[in-house]
Amino acid sequence: MASEFWKPLDRARRQIRLAHLAPSNRLDDQPSLSLRIVSLDENHPYEALSYVWGDPKITAPIQLRSVHQRSINVIASIPLSSHLSNLSVAQTFNIEESKPSVMELATNVISSGTHKVQVSAHSDLSDTCTSEWPVTTNLETAMKYLRHEFAERILWIDAICIDQSNITERNSQVPLMQAIYSNAEVVHVWLGSPTTGSDNAMALLKEVGQGVLLQEIKLQDRLIDDNDLRSTTELMTRAWWNRTWVQQELLLAKRAVFSCGFSSFEWSSMPSADRFNSLVDSAMKSLRFDEYVLDDFTDSFDAHMRIQNMEEIHDKGTQDEDFVLIMAQGRLCQNTDKRDSVYGFLGLMSDNIASRIKPDYNMSVCEVFQDAATQLTICAQSLILFSLTQYMPKDTRSTPTWVPSWNTLSGVESLEEWSNRSLRLIQHDYFSSCAEHDLKFEVVNPNMSKLSGTQFDHIRGISSGSAPCDPTLPEVLKLHHEWRLVCNLENESVSHYIVGGKASDAYWRTLINDIYKGVGESRRRCQTSDYKAYLEWLHELENSTTAYWDSDLANSFHISYSEACMDRRFFVTKKGYFGIGPAELKEGDEIYILAGGKHPFALRPLLGPHPDTFELVGDCYVHGIMDGEAVSDRSRDQNTMDRKKHEELPDSQSLEPYLPLHDFHDVFIV
């Protein structure tokens, strides 16, 4: 039966199927639609649906009609009007089975005067094939609400327009997603069935989009209350917001309309992150809403903000390295097929990346992840993707250590850790530990990659604990004291850092990876004046009796600290360098600088077929070598001048010389 509805598509002609949804003015009528094949190159008008499939085991039937093109011969008398002057005596036309009669079509084709028309049809004509077909209940409900009352609505719906049982067809249709959603006149985002309060929630979102303060929004001539915020929280945390495919479906749209029941609003009306935060701050100060209800309401917009961030990256992305930031979001989303954590974002990738990663649902999940890591690294010409890895022992992992896992996360803590790991990718633009050494990367066998690098140091001392997610102030203070002990700052004789300057300055800069973000400011490299923020942060850690930061300076430093240190550990190298690295670090791990890597990396030696075989533990911040000082004379000279300039060091102060440069050699990672 499936082949009756899903006739083969011509890949060369970029053919797709469109669903013609029959009209109805009764909500409980069973949805009825027919499938028709068109080419994307022919610019047929249509809309697209973005929705969550739902549980595939819970279905409802719809009426599905197959429509096939076939020909009839029309033999006409001498034409009596000019518009028929080019009609031959015998000419073939295409019709569709859904037409009520052959004669009616012929009348439409030759519709002038009283001339005679003779029609002869092929003997293989048959009635339209109609059958009940199961779809998930969420899709059935969407069709009931979105269909027109008196006219067909032409939609592209993935579950119906792609033969999901045909892997070859799925492989060929996924690369067309970018064109399908960007060519659609409108993308309809179906959030789900209406519930008590959902209409008010949709109306509230419209008001928020217009910039109305929460405490001043009125619905049905009354000010909104906690129940309205709860209803909006429920709407903003529905499954759609965290589905993998919706990211590109929304961001590729010319126009996107969100619907819940019969209520709707436009994506373009949603507030920016800064505007939303301003509205929430004002609502908190108004004291009109319960504190916990408002917190939940604020948190419910996390997915919306993530999509907006992706939209900004996509719109401004100029380098293949930028698109890795989008790919990093894949693990934060839900999908039924883990391979879609990669394939679901190809529509947002550059042409260079999209042309290299070929959707292939015959490949295993591990093969898809490894292929994506390989192609993204080659396209980005950097090791930025290595910063997304999380070390796992050999007996518990299914991919090499240099391949990130895009398996869907579970649990709030792991979600926060991955979000922070993704956020640290932004810091790559501030560093260049490999200086001018370009990427050398090759996959030498299914599990091993070959790079070029040089050993810089070994980890000598390491903190016993890593910074937890959302720690309390006492937890941060305890960790701070432990980390100071690791680098021996309590010893008065340890006053100078190995490459010059004060050890205490190197310490506080290491805590925030030498990147500071003030309130309302963009991230930037640290300045000497930021020391005041560190002192304010330290003062509040030691004296505060509340769970909140009293000053903007302390809050800014803590935000910078959290970005740098969440799920990370402090360490000291054998030569005396301070650093921050993955929670999985061990004493004896080696610090390597790899060509194409803007961060140094911690590698764990292995016995293997090659003498320089390692596992990748993760990227690190090592204070004093982040600008290429360890591998470039030019970077060393510039760094020395910068330190004297920014730290106001006298020209006569002698800085300890850097260790000799090392030659780069082959490094193998499994």
Side-chain angles (χ1 to χ4, degrees), residues 467-495:
C469 300
D470 196 22
T472 63
L473 268 59
E475 288 175 329
V476 175
L477 182 61
K478 180 181 179 181
L479 204 62
H480 164 68
H481 287 316
E482 182 198 344
W483 288 10
R484 284 179 60 88
L485 289 174
V486 171
C487 56
N488 206 21
L489 282 184
E490 306 302 329
N491 187 341
E492 295 183 0
S493 63
V494 181
S495 58

Side-chain angles (χ1 to χ4, degrees), residues 449-605:
S449 63
K450 182 174 74 172
L451 300 102
S452 178
T454 182
Q455 185 202 72
F456 175 73
D457 209 342
H458 293 74
I459 292 179
R460 182 194 68 199
I462 191 169
S463 63
S464 61
S466 58
C469 300
D470 196 22
T472 63
L473 268 59
E475 288 175 329
V476 175
L477 182 61
K478 180 181 179 181
L479 204 62
H480 164 68
H481 287 316
E482 182 198 344
W483 288 10
R484 284 179 60 88
L485 289 174
V486 171
C487 56
N488 206 21
L489 282 184
E490 306 302 329
N491 187 341
E492 295 183 0
S493 63
V494 181
S495 58
H496 296 287
Y497 192 58
I498 184 172
V499 295
K502 297 179 180 179
S504 57
D505 286 338
Y507 171 74
W508 72 260
R509 286 175 179 263
T510 301
L511 288 182
I512 57 175
N513 285 3
D514 203 37
I515 295 178
Y516 181 77
K517 186 182 185 305
V519 174
E521 298 178 2
S522 300
R523 294 175 183 81
R524 57 169 172 78
R525 290 296 290 268
C526 284
Q527 301 171 357
T528 305
S529 58
D530 297 330
Y531 181 61
K532 296 178 182 178
Y534 166 67
L535 292 178
E536 191 74 23
W537 176 77
L538 190 58
H539 174 76
E540 292 199 26
L541 276 181
E542 295 174 337
N543 298 285
S544 179
T545 57
T546 68
Y548 303 97
W549 302 98
D550 295 327
S551 74
D552 285 344
L553 279 179
N555 187 39
S556 294
F557 191 89
H558 187 70
I559 291 173
S560 304
Y561 163 83
S562 298
E563 288 185 4
C565 294
M566 183 186 292
D567 196 37
R568 309 278 275 177
R569 301 175 74 180
F570 191 92
F571 65 84
V572 176
T573 71
K574 186 176 181 180
K575 297 172 185 174
Y577 286 84
F578 299 165
I580 298 286
E584 297 79 15
L585 284 176
K586 292 181 179 179
E587 292 184 6
D589 285 344
E590 300 181 13
I591 301 298
Y592 258 76
I593 295 172
L594 301 175
K598 296 184 178 182
H599 281 71
F601 292 93
L603 304 183
R604 188 161 295 163

